[in-house]
Each structure stands twice: as structure tokens, then as C-alpha cells.
């Protein structure tokens, strides 16, 4: 069985030995659409992360039996067309819950705790030249007693909520699906969440209900002392409106790990703020812990093995 991984660079140094034991594994760091069509022409199983699976892709792969997404989201795969062609589609859910929750809290703690400002204050020499022993002009904010608003209360949202409770925060959430299945915390409207939350953390999928969910009008409803963190999907918070809200002081800060276009273009509004100190950017690394990638590789191998045995 020939297994082709079209953008294996996304796995970094994670071991793929468990997958290679299942067949003949060919790994390519990345693949353009044209390269992908050439590389899958005699593949039985294809593994991919961002490569688009469309009609041209499937036409080029007459032997293809399975597409394995190296992640959870499958927006890049035409699932309906795969089903019509008899090609199975598999993804991996839950492998990055701890990793994403930790990254969300890294953003929250750094934004409210001003970690990067304090480091620069010391490293720049400003602290050495200060007449007092503390940076009195920039106090940080305590988390205890504040309200954490979570958009999307799935497994990751619930993990973030439990950590918030450990900090003695009040937790509310908005269900983007409308089901409000989690009964541990109050489910509220999006407007109520925006108005009440001191910290808003996004953990929702990108779909027709969440696209552009938080724009300029929504930022105006938030507390000026509030911070927004998005480790979910790019496009849920409108990037241009977020940049404007930060520069106008409508909110105190934001931490963003996901973007509409990735890598983030140099010309993005998020890269050209008047007040860049209000924004913490990371390069879509929330899912990328060593442990999460090891779990992902293992679960992909399990999916392929199970399909072979079915």
C-alpha cells in the first residue's frame, strides 16, 4: 500500500514510524496543487493538512481509497465528492485539547499580566535607570473574580473553563451551534457575553454561523478593559475591525493565533497597528506541542490501520 503525505513539514520532528509500518510511506515537506496531483497518481492513502482535495485532485488519483486529514478541520476537503468516488475521509479530533487550552491561557496570562511589557522594561535598561523599584506606571490585572466568556463550549472550551474556575473566575459561554449542551456554566446570548466578559476566548469552528461573528459593532459592546483571545479559527473575529478596535482603545488587548490567511501577510491590519503593544500574535502554534503532534501521528496510524482492516 502506498501512503503519500503531501505536507509533512506540518508535523515537524514528530515520529511517523507507526504510519510507515503500515505501507510504503512517501513524505513531501509541502505540495502545490500541481505537485499534489502528480504525487497522488498511484497513492492508496493520502495524508494532508492544508492541500485542497477537489475534483482535479481526485481525478489525478484513480487508486485513492482514503484521505487522512492531519488535524481536525476538513474544510479543505470536498467530502461529498469523496463519498461519491468511494474515497473515505478521516480526521483526528481531541488530540490538541490540552495544547490549545494551554496556549489560550498563555495569551490570557501574558495579556493581563503584561509579561512582555515587563520583560522589555527590564531588558531595555529602563528599569535600571528607574528611580523606584517597581514599574508603577503599568500595573497588571488580577484574574480572580473576573468573568471568562467562552465562545464555543466544546472539549477545548470546557478545558479552558475549568482552568478559569481554578483562577476563581466566573464562567459564561455562547453556544455557536445553539444547542447549549453544557450545563455546568450559564449559556448566554452573544450580546450578553460581549457586555459581561472581562476575557473572551474563542473555541468555535469556522462556519456560516461563526464567520465574522465579532466585528466592529461587537467590539463596541465589550468592556474597554476586556481582552479577546482567538485560538479557534481565523475569520471569526474580523481582523480589520479588531485592529481598529485595538487602536481606538475599544478593548484593552487581544491574543491571536489563527488568521484568515496563513501565514499572516505582512500587509495585514494586525501587522500595522498604531498600538502594537496591545496585541500578542503567535504563528498558529496552539495545536503544535510535542505531545499533541505525537498523539496526532498515533491517531492517524490508527485510522489508516482500521480502514485497512475494514
Amino acid at each position: 500500500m502506498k501512503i503519500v503525505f503531501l505536507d509533512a513539514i506540518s508535523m515537524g520532528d514528530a515520529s511517523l514510524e507507526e504510519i510507515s509500518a503500515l505501507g510504503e510511506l512517501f513524505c513531501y515537506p509541502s505540495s502545490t496543487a500541481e505537485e499534489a496531483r502528480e504525487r497522488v497518481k498511484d497513492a492508496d492513502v493520502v495524508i494532508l493538512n492544508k492541500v485542497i482535495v477537489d475534483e482535479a485532485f481526485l481525478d489525478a488519483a484513480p487508486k485513492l481509497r482514503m484521505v487522512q486529514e492531519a488535524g481536525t478541520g476538513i474544510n479543505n476537503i470536498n467530502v461529498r465528492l469523496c463519498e461519491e468516488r468511494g474515497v473515505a475521509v478521516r480526521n483526528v479530533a481531541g488530540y490538541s485539547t490540552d495544547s490549545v487550552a494551554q496556549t489560550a491561557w498563555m495569551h490570557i496570562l501574558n495579556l493581563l499580566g503584561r509579561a512582555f511589557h515587563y520583560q522589555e522594561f527590564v531588558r531595555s535598561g529602563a528599569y535600571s535607570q528607574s528611580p523606584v523599584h517597581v514599574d508603577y506606571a503599568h500595573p497588571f490585572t488580577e484574574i480572580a473574580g473576573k468573568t471568562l466568556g467562552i465562545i464555543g463550549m466544546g472539549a477545548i472550551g470546557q478545558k479552558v473553563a475549568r482552568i478559569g474556575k481554578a483562577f476563581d473566575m466566573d464562567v459564561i459561554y455562547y453556544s455557536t451551534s445553539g444547542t447549549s449542551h453544557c450545563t455546568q456554566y450559564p449559556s448566554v446570548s452573544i450580546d450578553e457575553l460581549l457586555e459581561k466578559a472581562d476575557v473572551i476566548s474563542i473555541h468555535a469552528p469556522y462556519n456560516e454561523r461563526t464567520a465574522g461573528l465579532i466585528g466592529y459593532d461587537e467590539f463596541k459592546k465589550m468592556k474597554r478593559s476586556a481582552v479577546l483571545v482567538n485560538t479557534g479559527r481565523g475569520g471569526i473575529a474580523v481582523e480589520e475591525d479588531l485592529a481598529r478596535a485595538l487602536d481606538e482603545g475599544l478593548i484593552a488587548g487581544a491574543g491571536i493565533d489563527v488568521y484568515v490567511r496563513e501565514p499572516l501577510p505582512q500587509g495585514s491590519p494586525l501587522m500595522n497597528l498604531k498600538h502594537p503593544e496591545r496585541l500578542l500574535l503567535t504563528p498558529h502554534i496552539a495545536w503544535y506541542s510535542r505531545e499533541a503532534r505525537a498523539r496526532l501521528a498515533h491517531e492517524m496510524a490508527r485510522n489508516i490501520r482500521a480502514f485497512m482492516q475494514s
Side-chain angles (χ1 to χ4, degrees):
M1 180 175 67
K2 183 173 182 178
I3 305 170
V4 177
F5 199 154
L6 290 172
D7 42 9
I9 195 172
S10 64
M11 294 297 291
D13 60 357
S15 173
L16 301 178
E17 289 184 9
E18 193 175 356
I19 296 174
S20 65
L22 300 174
E24 195 176 12
L25 176 63
F26 294 83
C27 289
Y28 300 94
S30 61
S31 300
T32 65
E34 183 178 357
E35 289 171 338
R37 290 193 293 270
E38 177 64 25
R39 292 166 178 173
V40 301
K41 61 183 181 182
D42 56 352
D44 299 290
V45 175
V46 169
I47 305 172
L48 44 80
N49 184 255
K50 295 296 184 184
V51 174
I52 302 297
V53 177
D54 54 14
E55 186 172 9
F57 181 100
L58 294 173
D59 285 345
K63 293 179 59 181
L64 189 62
R65 299 164 54 202
M66 177 184 178
V67 175
Q68 171 65 58
E69 176 70 30
T72 302
I74 54 175
N75 293 346
N76 56 314
I77 302 173
N78 188 327
V79 177
R80 179 191 59 79
L81 191 58
C82 286
E83 291 174 350
E84 291 176 358
R85 302 282 185 98
V87 176
V89 176
R90 300 289 185 270
N91 68 342
V92 180
Y95 73 94
S96 63
T97 298
D98 291 340
S99 180
V100 176
Q102 179 175 322
T103 304
W105 275 102
M106 177 190 74
H107 278 277
I108 294 168
L109 292 171
N110 278 314
L111 287 167
L112 296 185
R114 292 181 175 269
F116 288 94
H117 165 78
Y118 293 142
Q119 176 177 257
E120 179 59 25
F121 184 69
V122 175
R123 289 175 67 92
S124 69
Y127 182 51
S128 300
Q129 299 168 17
S130 175
V132 293
H133 68 283
V134 66
D135 181 7
Y136 62 88
H138 300 92
F140 66 90
T141 300
E142 289 186 359
I143 292 175
K146 302 299 191 296
T147 297
L148 171 62
I150 296 178
I151 296 176
M153 190 62 89
I156 296 173
Q158 290 180 46
K159 180 81 175 186
V160 171
R162 289 195 295 273
I163 297 170
K165 293 298 289 185
F167 279 110
D168 290 329
M169 298 186 79
D170 295 320
V171 177
I172 58 177
Y173 78 97
Y174 168 67
S175 172
T176 59
S177 67
T179 58
S180 300
H181 61 279
C182 181
T183 58
Q184 289 179 274
Y185 313 103
S187 175
V188 300
S189 68
I190 185 63
D191 284 346
E192 184 175 351
L193 184 141
L194 293 169
E195 292 166 3
K196 287 186 175 180
D198 299 288
V199 175
I200 295 176
S201 194
I202 298 175
H203 301 287
Y206 182 82
N207 54 39
E208 66 278 358
R209 294 185 298 272
T210 61
L213 180 67
I214 303 180
Y216 188 73
D217 288 341
E218 285 69 36
F219 284 117
K220 289 195 293 185
K221 297 175 183 177
M222 292 172 61
K223 298 178 180 179
R224 286 184 172 262
S225 58
V227 297
L228 172 79
V229 170
N230 187 5
T231 55
R233 286 290 184 268
I236 296 177
V238 180
E239 292 175 355
E240 184 176 357
D241 293 345
L242 171 59
R244 181 182 174 189
L246 288 167
D247 276 339
E248 293 180 1
L250 296 183
I251 62 173
I256 307 296
D257 185 58
V258 287
Y259 310 95
V260 174
R261 287 184 57 195
E262 296 177 346
L264 181 67
Q266 193 69 38
S268 166
L270 299 178
M271 295 289 285
N272 296 280
L273 268 69
K274 298 174 184 175
H275 293 282
E277 72 280 3
R278 297 173 182 170
L279 180 61
L280 174 58
L281 301 175
T282 50
H284 199 152
I285 49 83
W287 68 282
Y288 205 68
S289 70
R290 293 181 178 88
E291 295 81 1
R293 285 180 290 123
R295 287 190 292 268
L296 174 58
H298 173 66
E299 291 301 322
M300 289 195 296
R302 286 187 60 186
N303 283 350
I304 295 169
R305 187 182 303 111
F307 178 76
M308 290 168 55
Q309 296 172 350
S310 64

